[in-house]
Amino acid sequence: MLISNYITSAWRNLLHHKLFTTINVFGLAIGLAAVILISLFVRDELNYDKFWSKADNIYRLHTTFKIPGRDPLFAVGAPAPIFHLIKKDFPEIEYAA
């Protein structure tokens, strides 16, 4: 009985203040959409290469190319010969692709 009173009162208040209700509903919709998109992006980034066995031993190489007179260029990955250079500094590296 008490809940139906609250629902009826809220419904009448929403109908009486249409502009305020519209602003609140759109704000809530935009906020929920932003949270869903951000959480999907974070989930995708955290699950990168998780389908491989020994996924905790897989790393991505991020490279920054600095060209004089231009903004730095950020890339994921590097040329193939870089494996031999990194292997000298980090002997625990087994394979590279």
Side-chain angles (χ1 to χ4, degrees):
M1 182 75 158
L2 191 59
I3 292 176
S4 65
N5 249 352
Y6 285 145
I7 292 172
T8 305
S9 175
W11 183 254
R12 288 179 185 161
N13 194 18
L14 291 176
L15 290 178
H16 184 65
H17 303 286
K18 292 179 182 167
L19 179 64
F20 186 70
T21 300
T22 304
I23 292 171
N24 280 336
V25 168
F26 278 126
L28 180 64
I30 291 171
L32 286 174
V35 166
I36 290 170
L37 288 175
I38 290 170
S39 63
L40 285 173
F41 176 76
V42 168
R43 181 177 173 224
D44 182 55
E45 287 295 317
L46 291 177
N47 287 331
Y48 185 79
D49 278 347
K50 293 290 183 190
F51 55 89
W52 295 106
S53 61
K54 300 181 184 178
D56 55 333
N57 290 331
I58 297 175
Y59 299 94
R60 286 173 59 178
L61 184 63
H62 294 262
T63 307
T64 304
F65 296 104
K66 294 182 180 176
I67 302 168
R70 299 177 87 186
D71 291 335
L73 177 66
F74 302 102
V76 178
I82 198 111
F83 168 67
H84 302 294
L85 295 173
I86 294 176
K87 182 88 169 148
K88 284 191 283 187
D89 294 333
F90 303 100
E92 58 271 4
I93 295 176
E94 297 174 8
Y95 304 105

